[in-house]
Amino acid sequence: MSNAKVVLEPAFQGVGHKPGTEIWRIEDFKPVPLPKSDYGKFYCGDSYIVLQTTCNKGGAYLLDIHFWIGKDSSQDEAGTAAIKTIELDTMLGGRAVQHREPQGYESDKFLSYFKPCIIPMEGGFASGFKKPEEEKFETRLYICKGKRAIRVKEVPFSRSSLNHDDVFILDTEKKIYQFNGANSNIQERAKALEVIQHLKEKYHDGVCNVAIVDDGKLQAESDSGEFWVLFGGFAPIGKKAVSDDDVVLETTAPKLYSINNGQLKLEDIVLTKSILENTKCFLLDCGAELFVWVGRVTQVEDRKTASAAVEKFIIKENRPKTTRITQVIQGYENHTFKSKFESWPASSTAGNSNTEEGRIKVTALLKQKGVDVKGISKSSAPVNDEVPPLLDGGGKLEVWCINGSAKTALPKEELGKFYSGDCYIVLYTYHSGDKKEEFYLTYWIGKHSVRGRIYQGKEPPQFVALFQPMVILKGGISSGYKKFVEEKGQKDETYCADGIALIRVSGTSVHNNKTLQVDAVSTSLSSTDCFILQSKNVMFTWIGNSSSYEQQQWAGKVAEFLKPGVAVKHCKEGTESSTFWSAIGGKQNYTSKNVSTDVAIREPHLYTFSLRNGKLEVTEVFNFSQDDLLTEDTMILDTHSEVFVWMGQGVETKEKQKAFEIGEKYVEHAVAFEGISPDVPLYKVIEGNEPCFFRTYFSWDSTRSVIHGNSFEKKLSVLFGMRSEGGPKSSGDGGPTQRASALAALSSALNPSSQGKQSDERPPSSGDGGHTQRASAMAALSSSINTSSKSQTQSHSGQGSQRAAAVAALSNVLTAEGSHSPHHGRGSPTADAAKTELAPASPPPEIEPDATETGRTEPDVSQEQTANENGGQTIFSYERLISKSTDPVSGIDYKRRETYLADSEFQTVFGMTKEEFYEQPRWKQELQKKKADLF
């Protein structure tokens, strides 16, 4: 924004500098800060401004400004809210996304700040408010709508308000009733229970009876009778009358208008990002929602004029006053806006700028505390040195190499060696925290082999951690690779234990310890890594001057793995012998700089989706939690480095078989609009069998995932503190048939719909025969694993035969594909995505919550131990608790440093109370601890 004159509104001074929500009400045409005790209270006669500040993984602040317009708010007040929103954005640097929120038609994002709901109240500032002591409890009737972001509206307390299609809540002084219309949605019934819990805590001090009344069921119980007595006795209720609330605005094909001096001009061209000029404003008309796009260097007055022009457009086009308007600033466009264009090329600098901004904030915090920050802001440490959740250790690892028409089991000493020209089946059998047996079944594809599911170079950390170490070698040992090399007349570069090989070691931990064979020339060396040089029977480890201690340790381990018992010669960079240089063709220049990789810093996103005319449309679930995983739904969790397709137990079997097809469509979509890698690992996860590396993105309560029933029955069990293990199981499949469902989805993965869109690089030989063989193999695979559905119990030998059949079927698939010539280039964006099946072995038993997944874990060191070593003291200053302290504390649990802070200092360091901190997902806690140097 160029040389804009900022209007200094006193009420906005100092805002937007810490994560959280800030609210103002328009009073006498001025914004007045709302007391935090009134957050969530909205009056129909008023207009409000809501600022939401979020800190992303890179430390940068993301800003959303919403102006809420009550249905009885005056036009002047609403206009003031709109103008003050622009002024607030200007004071914050002109980079906030602005949202117009009409009462009853609020965006899901706005409602996510006030979970489970907001309940607008009659009245407003102009008409005066009743004081708490003047308020008397009034019986109220509410209607609830929405599967996730629930909209609650008070309706007249009358039988005529009830209908068969909706869910209602009757709040009386002694009891809260939920009335479920006979045709109402199961998930709306579930969400209404959250509203009841909210009403119970807010207006009944947590003490109140709750009753469920089902429409059309004349129960003899007292609750039903009491409910109808309140309405003057039982009588039939009428059909639902259509109201404005039921009108769903139609989403239309987007139209783009340029805005110049308040005038709109239709741009009749294909929508691409390049059309949007940074000196202009544009209107994107999508029917149900309007977007105003604002160029980064536009003036404040231009923005105000554009907003006024859009308001006139709504009137001229006879659009409802409830039409939502979202204003986005160049460079801060949301997913919904970007998805309206043909594609949205990702910016190459966004991730780096956010990362740098985050480093600056961390450095400033440490400086404030008197910590020596020299060298902190520009560290050569790996960008991603956090250890992600890994599969439980101690399991059984089996690997097979596909060799022509057969599969060859790798001996234990060879586990971890992968040839880039070959394909491998990997099966890891382990026991999760509740002692049930789980399977991690996938296969790995070398860059110079056939199509695969985990692509070389994109292995997820859970896969890498299975191998200690994991070494990727040149060439291949399978007959398929040998045949390919011979047909192409290429040189066979397959690694030989008695030959010359140079291997780069760049990993620093169990989850990223991949090592890769590179060309045996000196230009392959890098000062930031370690290398192993194998020259026939002589082994060298070459230590780069900028390599880490962990890399040096891994280098020794890999050398022993490749040539057990052989003496290794260690040489540090600059001390090489002539024998070393001679083995790699003589000394030449090589890089001494760390290769910078643009790491996109992006928060995890949870989506629902729909398919329209074969095109995937996604809707984001904001501020998501475990409660948003509804058992009847399929959800997509995108963490940028991995994509999960989560399927509830209530999803039909046919739908479950489409899991990977849905995932592939999403990856294709996200490649175009979010810039994720087309080779991103793709997982299918079944409700009740979520792995640790999925649960980490939620504050996870394991007990909830083992409650049977539909989403309403599950929520009811939680509300009443009941378990329903013995009750009826959810629709779809349950118990042992989960295994069949899981493998059916893997069948879909191996026979994706994208096969019709074959890559130009794929040889024509992969015709119908290949498809038939693949289908037959997967039928056998599904059949072999589905045998458990016949019985609740399985013998050990039965499990073994199933495992063998599954592996055999997979090998048949890969053998069929292995008969085709390998490709050297990329296929379609989704065809090479990593796809992994996480298949349960049995229905989930009742388990206790995992302390590492939920909010807070207590220190391993007791308070008594800490007090004994510190003269009775258990609370310490921030300066003594940080990892770089010059006067560190002893006798504490160093993984839980933050627990030893005083409450007041904890609030200063983290910007929130301890209770709020531990309510966050575990990964967010760890990230914030790291920024504060408390890890």
Side-chain angles (χ1 to χ4, degrees):
M1 190 165 47
S2 60
N3 301 323
K5 182 179 179 181
V6 178
V7 180
L8 298 176
E9 172 61 57
F12 295 151
Q13 295 298 315
V15 303
H17 294 312
K18 64 179 182 179
T21 307
E22 296 169 270
I23 306 178
W24 298 263
R25 180 171 56 226
I26 302 301
E27 300 178 8
D28 294 329
F29 308 107
K30 292 181 180 180
V32 177
L34 204 65
K36 287 192 179 294
S37 58
D38 287 340
Y39 280 18
K41 291 182 181 178
F42 293 87
Y43 286 85
C44 301
D46 288 332
S47 293
Y48 297 79
I49 296 174
V50 177
L51 170 64
Q52 183 71 18
T53 306
T54 308
C55 184
N56 72 5
K57 285 186 176 180
Y61 284 157
L62 305 178
L63 305 167
D64 286 271
I65 307 175
H66 307 254
F67 60 101
W68 187 88
I69 304 170
K71 64 181 179 64
D72 300 325
S73 179
S74 70
Q75 188 65 39
D76 289 340
E77 279 191 345
T80 300
I83 295 300
K84 292 299 180 182
T85 292
I86 296 174
E87 292 179 6
L88 174 58
D89 179 34
T90 303
M91 293 182 66
L92 293 170
R95 55 193 175 92
V97 178
Q98 299 175 29
H99 312 259
R100 180 181 187 264
E101 306 283 359
Q103 179 182 337
Y105 296 86
E106 297 89 352
S107 66
D108 289 357
K109 189 166 196 176
F110 177 83
L111 293 175
S112 75
Y113 307 148
F114 308 101
K115 286 187 174 183
C117 65
I118 62 170
I119 305 177
M121 297 176 286
E122 294 297 324
F125 172 76
S127 60
F129 298 95
K130 292 182 181 180
K131 294 181 180 179
E133 59 267 22
E134 297 174 344
E135 293 181 354
K136 291 185 178 180
F137 190 92
E138 293 183 24
T139 297
R140 299 178 187 272
L141 182 65
Y142 302 99
I143 185 172
C144 302
K145 296 185 178 184
K147 291 168 58 177
R148 286 184 178 80
I150 191 163
R151 290 164 175 81
V152 181
K153 177 185 176 183
E154 184 177 354
V155 294
F157 175 27
S158 166
R159 182 189 288 106
S160 61
S161 295
L162 302 175
N163 64 63
H164 301 291
D165 300 317
D166 292 315
V167 180
F168 296 84
I169 293 174
L170 179 63
D171 186 11
T172 71
E173 191 168 7
K174 301 294 184 182
K175 186 178 285 189
I176 303 176
Y177 300 86
Q178 176 169 324
F179 176 80
N180 297 325
N183 304 324
S184 61
N185 183 281
I186 287 291
Q187 294 175 336
E188 286 188 343
R189 296 182 187 184
K191 280 296 175 181
L193 289 172
E194 294 182 22
V195 178
I196 286 180
Q197 187 66 29
H198 170 70
L199 294 173
K200 183 178 177 180
E201 293 173 358
K202 189 166 185 178
Y203 298 111
H204 300 269
D205 297 324
V207 181
C208 182
N209 291 325
V210 176
I212 307 299
V213 179
D214 289 320
D215 178 21
K217 296 182 181 179
L218 295 176
Q219 300 101 327
E221 59 191 45
S222 59
D223 289 337
S224 181
E226 289 174 359
F227 175 80
W228 289 112
V229 165
L230 293 169
F231 288 92
F234 176 78
I237 57 177
K239 291 184 177 180
K240 181 177 181 178
V242 179
S243 66
D244 291 342
D245 292 342
D246 299 309
V247 176
V248 178
L249 299 179
E250 183 181 356
T251 298
T252 59
K255 295 179 181 178
L256 187 69
Y257 297 83
S258 57
I259 306 175
N260 294 297
N261 298 321
Q263 301 299 313
L264 273 63
K265 177 188 174 185
L266 178 64
E267 302 289 343
D268 191 14
I269 50 179
V270 177
L271 296 185
T272 61
K273 183 180 180 182
S274 59
I275 300 170
L276 305 173
E277 302 176 34
N278 62 4
T279 59
K280 292 183 178 180
C281 296
F282 291 83
L283 167 65
L284 186 67
D285 178 12
C286 302
E289 186 171 11
L290 303 179
F291 293 90
V292 180
W293 184 89
V294 176
R296 191 180 290 117
V297 296
T298 52
Q299 303 284 345
V300 177
E301 291 306 316
D302 292 334
R303 300 182 182 189
K304 290 183 179 180
T305 302
S307 295
V310 173
E311 294 286 350
K312 291 178 182 177
F313 175 82
I314 290 176
I315 297 171
K316 180 183 175 183
E317 295 291 320
N318 200 27
R319 301 286 176 85
K321 291 182 179 179
T322 53
T323 301
R324 280 207 307 269
I325 303 174
T326 302
Q327 178 174 303
V328 295
I329 305 298
Q330 181 182 7
Y332 295 89
E333 299 87 353
N334 59 26
H335 178 89
T336 307
F337 178 84
K338 291 188 288 188
S339 67
K340 303 298 181 183
F341 289 72
E342 289 294 313
S343 65
W344 195 271
S347 169
S348 61
T349 59
N352 290 338
S353 63
N354 286 345
T355 303
E356 187 58 31
E357 185 177 342
R359 287 198 188 112
I360 292 171
K361 289 182 183 296
V362 174
T363 303
L365 173 65
L366 296 177
K367 272 185 177 178
Q368 223 174 16
K369 297 294 180 179
V371 180
D372 183 8
V373 296
K374 184 178 180 181
I376 288 180
S377 62
K378 291 188 177 180
S379 171
S380 59
V383 174
N384 183 20
D385 53 1
E386 293 180 68
V387 178
L390 306 174
L391 296 174
D392 291 341
K396 181 181 180 181
L397 178 62
E398 299 167 274
V399 181
W400 295 263
C401 177
I402 299 303
N403 187 16
S405 59
K407 65 182 186 297
T408 302
L410 298 188
K412 185 176 181 180
E413 61 272 13
E414 293 291 309
L415 295 182
K417 289 183 182 178
F418 290 84
Y419 289 86
S420 62
D422 291 339
C423 190
Y424 300 82
I425 298 171
V426 177
L427 175 63
Y428 183 62
T429 307
Y430 65 102
H431 289 84
S432 58
D434 56 344
K435 306 304 181 185
K436 66 179 179 180
E437 192 173 55
E438 302 273 11
F439 297 99
Y440 182 92
L441 175 63
T442 185
Y443 56 95
W444 181 91
I445 179 69
K447 284 187 176 179
H448 300 123
S449 186
V450 292
R451 285 175 56 196
R453 295 304 180 256
I454 287 184
Y455 204 89
Q456 179 181 331
K458 289 295 180 181
E459 298 86 355
Q462 295 77 28
F463 182 87
V464 176
L466 296 177
F467 304 95
Q468 302 298 311
M470 178 179 179
V471 185
I472 301 174
L473 303 170
K474 285 178 174 284
I477 56 176
S478 65
S479 58
Y481 175 77
K482 302 297 184 185
K483 182 179 178 181
F484 168 76
V485 171
E486 182 181 349
E487 289 177 351
K488 296 294 182 180
Q490 296 179 358
K491 181 182 178 182
D492 189 347
E493 296 183 324
T494 300
Y495 167 83
C496 176
D498 297 324
I500 295 176
L502 185 64
I503 297 167
R504 184 179 70 226
V505 179
S506 53
T508 58
S509 187
V510 293
H511 67 283
N512 63 9
N513 65 358
K514 291 182 295 184
T515 58
L516 178 69
Q517 183 179 354
V518 295
D519 293 337
V521 292
S522 56
T523 53
S524 297
L525 298 174
S526 169
S527 299
T528 59
D529 291 326
C530 293
F531 290 79
I532 297 162
L533 175 61
Q534 172 190 294
S535 179
K536 298 182 179 179
N537 292 321
V538 180
M539 294 288 281
F540 297 89
T541 57
W542 185 87
I543 311 300
N545 287 333
S546 300
S547 64
S548 67
Y549 172 76
E550 291 81 6
Q551 288 173 308
Q552 296 166 27
Q553 294 294 103
W554 279 116
K557 189 170 184 177
V558 173
E560 175 64 22
F561 174 64
L562 292 174
K563 303 276 282 188
V566 173
V568 179
K569 299 180 179 181
H570 304 280
C571 63
K572 195 168 183 179
E573 181 180 0
T575 66
E576 304 86 353
S577 65
S578 58
T579 306
F580 177 91
W581 291 121
S582 176
I584 53 176
K587 185 176 181 179
Q588 299 181 55
N589 292 331
Y590 54 85
T591 183
S592 59
K593 296 180 180 178
N594 200 356
V595 179
S596 62
T597 55
D598 289 336
V599 178
I601 297 174
R602 186 165 168 266
E603 299 295 305
H605 295 268
L606 184 69
Y607 297 103
T608 61
F609 67 91
S610 61
L611 290 169
R612 294 189 181 183
N613 300 322
K615 182 181 179 182
L616 186 77
E617 295 184 3
V618 299
T619 302
E620 183 165 2
V621 179
F622 297 100
N623 294 313
F624 62 83
S625 67
Q626 187 180 355
D627 285 336
D628 292 308
L629 301 174
L630 302 179
T631 192
E632 298 83 10
D633 281 355
T634 299
M635 310 288 293
I636 296 171
L637 176 65
D638 177 5
T639 71
H640 204 77
S641 59
E642 297 164 316
V643 172
F644 299 87
V645 179
W646 180 90
M647 310 204 88
Q649 291 289 356
V651 175
E652 293 184 0
T653 302
K654 287 184 179 179
E655 188 69 24
K656 288 181 178 179
Q657 292 173 358
K658 298 178 181 177
F660 285 115
E661 180 181 341
I662 292 165
E664 287 176 337
K665 284 184 179 292
Y666 174 76
V667 171
E668 184 178 356
H669 171 91
V671 166
F673 297 103
E674 297 298 337
I676 73 170
S677 168
D679 300 328
V680 64
L682 177 61
Y683 294 94
K684 179 207 168 181
V685 177
I686 295 290
E687 180 186 11
N689 294 277
E690 295 86 354
C692 56
F693 51 95
F694 175 88
R695 299 194 303 264
T696 188
Y697 296 102
F698 300 81
S699 289
W700 197 263
D701 180 357
S702 297
T703 58
R704 292 193 178 194
S705 61
V706 300
I707 299 174
H708 298 302
N710 59 39
S711 54
F712 172 65
E713 292 165 343
K714 286 172 177 278
K715 190 72 69 176
L716 200 61
S717 296
V718 173
L719 179 64
F720 286 101
M722 300 185 305
R723 293 292 175 84
S724 56
E725 298 90 340
K729 297 187 178 181
S730 58
S731 59
D733 49 9
T737 57
Q738 290 176 344
R739 291 168 59 83
S741 172
L743 270 298
L746 186 55
S747 167
S748 170
L750 296 171
N751 190 14
S753 61
S754 58
Q755 287 169 355
K757 301 177 181 178
Q758 305 230 349
S759 167
D760 293 338
E761 296 164 349
R762 186 169 181 179
S765 60
S766 56
D768 294 338
H771 290 181
T772 304
Q773 192 167 2
R774 182 187 296 108
S776 300
M778 289 318 302
L781 177 64
S782 178
S783 172
S784 65
I785 294 197
N786 196 25
T787 55
S788 60
S789 63
K790 297 177 181 178
S791 171
Q792 289 289 344
T793 59
Q794 283 185 316
S795 66
H796 180 76
S797 60
Q799 291 180 348
S801 62
Q802 287 179 7
R803 182 176 64 229
V807 172
L810 265 180
S811 79
N812 286 341
V813 174
L814 299 178
T815 300
E817 294 186 341
S819 64
H820 310 139
S821 299
H823 67 272
H824 290 266
R826 296 284 190 201
S828 65
T830 58
D832 294 328
K835 301 176 186 122
T836 304
E837 181 67 32
L838 301 169
S842 58
E846 181 179 343
I847 57 177
E848 295 300 320
D850 186 347
T852 62
E853 309 297 343
T854 53
R856 182 170 187 164
T857 56
E858 293 303 321
D860 294 334
V861 180
S862 69
Q863 279 197 342
E864 289 77 12
Q865 289 175 291
T866 303
N868 288 339
E869 289 201 33
N870 294 276
Q873 188 177 357
T874 57
I875 299 296
F876 306 95
S877 68
Y878 174 76
E879 288 78 7
R880 294 195 65 196
L881 287 170
I882 57 176
S883 62
K884 296 181 176 64
S885 175
T886 55
D887 181 23
V889 183
S890 61
I892 64 171
D893 182 350
Y894 295 105
K895 294 180 292 184
R896 302 285 180 268
R897 296 172 187 265
E898 80 284 356
T899 61
Y900 301 96
L901 285 169
D903 290 348
S904 58
E905 191 159 25
F906 189 99
Q907 177 99 31
T908 302
V909 173
F910 292 104
M912 64 185 77
T913 64
K914 287 184 178 180
E915 289 73 19
E916 291 169 335
F917 179 84
Y918 291 116
E919 285 175 358
Q920 302 179 111
R922 191 84 181 122
W923 65 269
K924 276 196 175 181
Q925 297 177 30
E926 294 301 322
L927 187 65
Q928 290 165 356
K929 285 162 59 177
K930 189 172 182 181
K931 289 179 182 176
D933 197 32
L934 289 168
F935 65 100

